[in-house]
Amino acid sequence: MRVPLLFFCMTTLALAQPPTGFDLQGHRGCRGLMPENTLPAFLKALDLGVTTLEMDVVISKDNQVVVSHDPYFNSAFTIAPDGNPISKQDQKSLILYQMTYDDIKRYDVGSNGNSAYPEQQKLKTNKPLLSDVIEQAEAYRKTKNLPLFSYNIELKSEPSEYNKSQPEPAAFCDLVQAILKEQLAADRINPDRVVIQSFDFALLKQWKQGADVGKYPKVRLSALVENLHSPEKNLGELGFKPDIYSPYFRLLSRKKIARLHEQEIKVIPWTVNQRKDMIRLKEWGVDGLITDYPDRAIGL
């Protein structure tokens, strides 16, 4: 039987859209359960039913976009290529922006586990490239016949670190958008499934300017917040209305959520790890949450 063209077009359009409803985001994949920001963590998070993979990216010496929260190798869980753990004294001398990716990928960031997360599985793994994460996550989705999910990519940036442990905003955004365009061209993702977030509003401003002139993909933008200022003050500093306002969860109240919703801004707090906090925030009306433990949010 022939499928009507209209039905085919509607089905294709539906499949291209990002997930709707409550947005459960796996923080650094699922840091509470698997080594953070690694391929095993992202695939495990998909198995647990997250609607968004949350991750951080930094830049290497050879301009590769590397998935990592810290711009250096964290002594809490890193083993050097010679098999010895990284010391706290040495960790900040191992700056990823001063290392090629060929060197970075030789470090083991999973075998030691992380004592702050006793449920985290120990396994040998490394820091992946953003391109590899997207490619493998999409392949995994198709193999497992999983629903569409989004990517929330945090650009790790501090103004005091420009040209030290990271490039300046324009160069940083240029490198990330090039990867996204590559993935878009390969038909792995579409821009509706991507969020760019940062605490450094200079990067969000840079991305918006680039998107407005067609230089960057038009993705959703999220303002990360950890200060005590009101949402209105933070949004004034940003200078435009983001798609998402993402504060530390203890900074939220019902009234703040309502005020943001009046501006049609979604509210997705971080990092919510206790079930009781998840329930309370959902009752207050948040649009999603970011958690190290997606398993604790099942059935939320």
Side-chain angles (χ1 to χ4, degrees):
M1 181 176 67
R2 296 181 63 185
V3 179
L5 180 59
L6 178 62
F7 176 80
F8 175 79
C9 292
M10 291 175 64
T11 303
T12 303
L13 180 63
L15 289 174
Q17 300 306 305
T20 58
F22 193 76
D23 189 6
L24 177 61
Q25 301 197 15
H27 186 233
R28 308 186 199 180
C30 52
R31 177 173 57 167
L33 306 173
M34 302 291 283
E36 67 174 64
N37 277 322
T38 64
L39 284 166
F42 296 125
L43 301 186
K44 175 69 172 179
L46 292 178
D47 286 338
L48 291 170
V50 301
T51 47
T52 296
L53 294 177
E54 193 273 352
M55 65 196 70
D56 313 273
V57 296
V58 300
I59 304 301
S60 67
K61 182 179 181 179
D62 52 343
N63 288 330
Q64 301 296 304
V65 182
V66 183
V67 179
S68 175
H69 176 267
D70 303 305
Y72 52 84
F73 277 107
N74 195 316
S75 63
F77 50 79
T78 305
I79 299 174
D82 63 6
N84 292 314
I86 297 298
S87 70
K88 194 164 187 178
Q89 182 179 357
D90 292 338
Q91 66 177 6
K92 291 193 177 179
S93 66
L94 294 168
I95 298 173
L96 306 188
Y97 191 47
Q98 298 174 6
M99 303 170 66
T100 67
Y101 183 64
D102 280 345
D103 288 333
I104 291 169
K105 68 183 181 182
R106 296 173 60 218
Y107 287 75
D108 178 358
V109 294
S111 293
N112 263 357
N114 188 330
S115 60
Y117 301 92
E119 294 178 44
Q120 188 184 104
Q121 182 179 336
K122 297 179 181 180
L123 54 86
K124 187 173 183 178
T125 187
N126 62 9
K127 292 181 183 292
L129 295 174
L130 175 61
S131 55
D132 290 338
V133 169
I134 295 174
E135 184 175 347
Q136 295 202 35
E138 291 303 309
Y140 192 76
R141 176 181 67 82
K142 292 176 182 177
T143 299
K144 293 272 191 169
N145 196 28
L146 299 173
L148 280 178
F149 54 86
S150 294
Y151 296 88
N152 186 4
I153 303 166
E154 179 182 347
L155 309 189
K156 296 301 296 184
S157 176
E158 294 182 26
S160 63
E161 289 297 309
Y162 294 168
N163 298 315
K164 296 177 183 178
S165 66
Q166 64 176 87
E168 293 191 15
F172 200 149
C173 290
D174 282 352
L175 291 168
V176 174
Q177 70 85 26
I179 296 300
L180 294 182
K181 281 189 173 179
E182 180 182 284
Q183 297 297 321
L184 289 166
D187 291 329
R188 293 192 182 96
I189 57 171
N190 67 53
D192 290 336
R193 294 175 56 204
V194 177
V195 175
I196 293 294
Q197 65 176 359
S198 188
F199 287 102
D200 185 352
F201 287 180
L203 277 89
L204 298 180
K205 293 175 184 178
Q206 173 70 29
W207 198 285
K208 185 177 187 306
Q209 291 167 3
D212 286 346
V213 298
K215 181 179 179 181
Y216 298 165
K218 285 199 172 185
V219 301
R220 289 172 285 159
L221 297 178
S222 176
L224 283 168
V225 174
E226 59 182 345
N227 60 53
L228 298 176
H229 299 156
S230 68
E232 289 76 13
K233 183 174 178 60
N234 284 320
L235 292 174
E237 180 185 338
L238 179 60
F240 66 90
K241 187 173 75 173
D243 301 279
I244 301 165
Y245 189 80
S246 188
Y248 177 50
F249 80 98
R250 294 194 186 280
L251 299 176
L252 279 176
S253 67
R254 284 183 187 269
K255 289 184 178 179
K256 288 179 180 178
I257 295 167
R259 295 205 307 267
L260 288 159
H261 281 168
E262 285 173 3
Q263 300 180 67
E264 298 184 336
I265 298 172
K266 291 190 174 183
V267 183
I268 300 179
W270 56 272
T271 300
V272 192
N273 286 339
Q274 300 304 318
R275 176 81 178 185
K276 59 182 176 55
D277 293 323
M278 296 176 181
I279 293 171
R280 183 184 74 255
L281 288 162
K282 191 168 189 296
E283 288 175 347
W284 284 1
V286 296
D287 301 282
L289 56 84
I290 301 171
T291 180
D292 291 315
Y293 298 93
D295 56 324
R296 297 179 184 178
I298 291 175
L300 194 62

